[in-house]
Amino acid sequence: VWNSDHGYDKTIKAFERSLVNLQTDYLDLYLVHWPVVGKYKGTWRAMEDLYKQGRVRAIGVCNFLKHQLEDLMENAEVIPMVNQMEFHPFLVQQELIDFCQLHDIQYVAWSPLMQGKVFELPEFQKLAKKYGKSIAQVVLRYDLQKGVATIPKSSKEERIIANADLFDFEISESDMNFIDALDRNYRTGPNPDNFEWSV
């Protein structure tokens, strides 16, 4: 649900439009894209109704911080099943991950490779050499071990294949802790608390 389609009625219309565009009669997953202040609760009511009608198999949110999730869940009948967030070694947000895990909300990463900036980090060049893997594979394995679902974007077949080749190694606990400690609260995208909403 895009920012301009927030609110109960607009969300239902946007959903119907999506079904026409996708030429289907249901969606597997429908997400609120940003927590537009003062509007996302009405949007969520529409999402709940679509879910209860069986027209969507799972509903969730994107870019919701802990306080926004708590606010949404205060009156929600259905807890979000997914929270898609910017997530990478410089933006771990462990408290938010813990909150989502506590409430069975699947944490999903966007921008897991920091829009390519991760390839410039000497820490990951060393880790890639240590594990005999690419930098992307080390980062994606880190995500996997954190319980964060990640679908990296690539148009190159060899990279798509390599990005799925993550199950023949494991990052040690000490290296997981080392990567966690790189967290700088650094965002490559907007901050959900002060994003200028275009609605």
Side-chain angles (χ1 to χ4, degrees):
V1 180
W2 187 240
N3 304 339
S4 56
D5 291 320
H6 270 270
Y8 187 94
D9 293 335
K10 281 187 169 184
T11 297
I12 299 294
K13 285 178 185 170
F15 174 80
E16 300 292 354
R17 197 164 55 244
S18 291
L19 291 188
V20 171
N21 291 341
L22 294 168
Q23 299 178 19
T24 185
D25 57 1
Y26 78 96
L27 295 180
D28 286 313
L29 177 63
Y30 202 35
L31 303 173
V32 179
H33 193 237
W34 284 97
V36 177
V37 177
K39 296 195 175 189
Y40 59 73
K41 286 192 176 183
T43 300
W44 190 249
R45 278 199 329 276
M47 304 279 277
E48 289 178 322
D49 284 350
L50 292 166
Y51 174 71
K52 289 174 191 173
Q53 293 162 15
R55 304 185 74 200
V56 184
R57 292 186 175 171
I59 55 175
V61 296
C62 305
N63 305 300
F64 274 60
L65 300 172
K66 182 178 175 227
H67 70 92
Q68 292 156 336
L69 282 171
E70 288 172 329
D71 183 51
L72 180 70
M73 290 162 61
E74 200 173 83
N75 306 110
E77 294 178 19
V78 180
I79 300 299
M81 297 159 193
V82 167
N83 187 19
Q84 186 181 61
M85 293 292 299
E86 180 175 356
F87 175 83
H88 48 69
F90 279 6
L91 187 67
V92 176
Q93 303 183 100
Q94 188 62 51
E95 184 183 5
L96 182 57
I97 291 173
D98 293 341
F99 180 85
C100 288
Q101 288 176 344
L102 179 67
H103 294 281
D104 293 322
I105 301 169
Q106 177 61 59
Y107 208 88
V108 176
W110 64 261
S111 195
L113 303 175
M114 298 168 55
Q115 297 183 2
K117 293 184 179 76
V118 75
F119 299 111
E120 301 164 12
L121 302 180
E123 296 93 340
F124 277 91
Q125 291 165 7
K126 288 176 188 170
L127 285 168
K129 188 173 181 183
K130 175 179 177 178
Y131 288 100
K133 288 289 185 175
S134 70
I135 289 173
Q137 288 170 321
V138 171
V139 172
L140 297 174
R141 180 68 202 192
Y142 165 76
D143 293 9
L144 189 65
Q145 288 180 222
K146 293 285 287 181
V148 176
T150 307
I151 305 170
K153 181 170 66 174
S154 181
S155 59
K156 297 193 176 0
E157 184 180 356
E158 64 273 14
R159 285 193 191 151
I160 293 169
I161 292 166
N163 287 342
D165 185 20
L166 307 174
F167 300 97
D168 60 350
F169 78 111
E170 188 172 316
I171 299 173
S172 70
E173 186 178 349
S174 62
D175 284 338
M176 288 293 292
N177 293 336
F178 171 76
I179 298 170
D180 281 343
L182 295 174
D183 189 359
R184 299 179 183 177
N185 199 32
Y186 169 80
R187 296 180 185 278
T188 62
N191 185 325
D193 268 336
N194 56 28
F195 184 52
E196 290 296 321
W197 311 106
S198 50
V199 290

